[in-house]
């Protein structure tokens, strides 16, 4: 059986259509959802991601504001901006584009965002809610993974899910989501010995590492569902994931691609979270 490719664009478009509808309903009640994105420094990849988020907001009618701060911004200055945005009722969601310059404490910054405006779902209160199976905001990349899986009708319950990478953006929240869906979850990371022994046992394999071609076809169970969260820029400028797609596509049953996969659903889920945030009042 040839590997089924899930279109991130199709899944993202469906989510965006729902969001658009919800925005219209909210506007009819006099409320326009608002998202503020803060970017510190001039990392080129971050600039692209922020531009994509801004455009996506415009597409669905969400009011978007981008706060651009220089690389020399102090932690105190950034916290002050977050404090102002926390107080503004027209801003329902706040996202700080990561990574931050080294002199700024990322944890402190995330904790400064009001949990009811933390549409990236990274605040400890929101991570805790997710772990308890009562999420307020689900981090956008794992949320997109879930949407991709749901779009195929694939049953998570009872499956063995293996996640490679344990970051707060992808691996950790993904493990909580799959556990809530009654999968049996194994998490691998940089200290895991014999990675392939684990990945070969995965019915669902989620990869979020940041290393091109880390996962090759011989590391995948025949028929597995493979979701590639990696976004890596190669020296020639091309974008690739963590999965060696040509060899994995010969073995996997269903797979996402990079580009064209989770990058698109990540943005769509951010829009969904922003619209959801309106219920907390801004
Ligand atoms: P990160 O915070 O650096 O985490 C990487 C994870 O991979 C860590 O848990 C690390 O283990 C693990 N790891 C490193 N080398 C490994 C190896 N050889 N074998 C197994 N695990 C290994 O990165 P991140 O922020 O999660 O980003 C990961 C990738 O996802 C990047 O390519 C990034 O661009 C992409 N990304 C995509 C989206 C999207 O929209 N699709 C969003 C965010 C990030 P330790 O914990 O032991 O260090």
């Amino acid at each position: 059986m040839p590997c089924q490719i899930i279109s991130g664009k199709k899944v993202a478009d469906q989510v965006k259509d729902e969001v658009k509808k919800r925005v219209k309903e909210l506007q009819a009640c006099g409320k326009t959802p608002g998202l503020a994105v803060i970017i510190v420094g001039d990392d080129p990849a971050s600039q692209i991601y922020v531009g994509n988020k801004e455009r996506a907001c415009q597409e669905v009618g969400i009011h978007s504001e981008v706060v651009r701060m220089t690389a020399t911004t102090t932690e105190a200055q950034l916290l002050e901006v977050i404090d102002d945005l926390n107080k503004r009722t027209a801003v329902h969601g706040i996202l700080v584009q990561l990574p931050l310059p080294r002199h700024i404490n990322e944890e402190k910054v995330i904790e400064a965002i009001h949990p009811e405006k933390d549409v990236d779902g990274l605040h400890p209160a929101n991570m805790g809610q997710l772990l308890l199976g009562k999420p307020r905001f689900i981090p956008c990349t794992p949320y997109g993974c879930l949407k991709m899986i749901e779009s195929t009708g694939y049953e998570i319950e009872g499956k063995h899910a293996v996640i490679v990478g344990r970051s707060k953006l992808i691996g950790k929240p993904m493990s909580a989501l799959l556990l809530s869906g009654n999968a049996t979850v194994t998490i691998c990371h940089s200290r895991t010995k014999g990675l392939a022994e684990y990945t070969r046992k995965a019915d669902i394999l989620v990869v979020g590492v940041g290393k091109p071609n880390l996962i090759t076809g011989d590391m995948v169970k025949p028929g597995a569902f493979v979701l590639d969260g990696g976004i890596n820029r190669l020296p020639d400028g091309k974008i690739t994931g963590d999965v060696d797609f040509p060899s994995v596509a010969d073995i996997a049953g269903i797979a996402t691609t990079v580009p064209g996969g989770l990058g698109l659903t990540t943005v769509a889920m951010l829009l969904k979270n922003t619209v959801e945030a309106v219920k907390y009042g801004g």
Side-chain angles (χ1 to χ4, degrees), residues 3 5 213 215 228 240 243-250 255-258:
C3 177
I5 311 293
N213 303 330
I215 305 294
D228 188 354
T240 183
V243 169
D244 172 42
F245 188 77
S247 67
V248 168
D250 282 344
T256 62
T257 60
V258 181

Side-chain angles (χ1 to χ4, degrees), residues 172-236:
K172 282 185 181 144
M174 194 65 216
S175 68
L177 285 176
L178 289 166
L179 204 54
S180 291
N182 294 323
T184 301
V185 180
T186 301
I187 308 173
C188 302
H189 45 78
S190 69
R191 317 287 170 87
T192 298
K193 293 196 171 79
L195 180 64
E197 283 172 38
Y198 295 95
T199 57
R200 273 190 214 116
K201 291 185 183 139
D203 300 309
I204 304 169
L205 180 61
V206 181
V207 192
V209 170
K211 288 203 161 75
N213 303 330
L214 177 72
I215 305 294
T216 45
D218 58 324
M219 297 168 78
V220 172
K221 180 175 172 176
F225 198 137
V226 180
L227 296 123
D228 188 354
I231 300 182
N232 308 295
R233 196 171 293 269
L234 299 175
D236 64 5

Side-chain angles (χ1 to χ4, degrees), residues 99-202:
L100 288 167
R102 282 200 188 151
H103 64 277
I104 297 179
N105 181 330
E106 196 172 286
E107 280 175 29
K108 211 168 157 183
V109 168
I110 291 170
E111 283 176 31
I113 300 171
H114 194 292
E116 291 180 348
K117 295 194 178 194
D118 168 42
V119 285
D120 232 0
L122 301 180
H123 190 286
N126 288 325
M127 281 286 180
Q129 294 273 118
L130 179 65
L131 205 58
L132 293 171
K134 297 173 183 169
R136 176 162 35 203
F137 296 116
I138 301 172
C140 304
T141 303
Y143 201 0
C145 280
L146 201 63
K147 280 280 165 197
M148 292 281 222
I149 296 172
E150 281 173 7
S151 75
T152 64
Y154 185 93
E155 183 64 60
I156 293 172
E157 182 161 319
K159 298 293 181 353
H160 183 201
V162 175
I163 302 169
V164 187
R166 56 175 165 182
S167 73
K168 61 176 178 287
L169 285 177
I170 304 181
K172 282 185 181 144
M174 194 65 216
S175 68
L177 285 176
L178 289 166
L179 204 54
S180 291
N182 294 323
T184 301
V185 180
T186 301
I187 308 173
C188 302
H189 45 78
S190 69
R191 317 287 170 87
T192 298
K193 293 196 171 79
L195 180 64
E197 283 172 38
Y198 295 95
T199 57
R200 273 190 214 116
K201 291 185 183 139

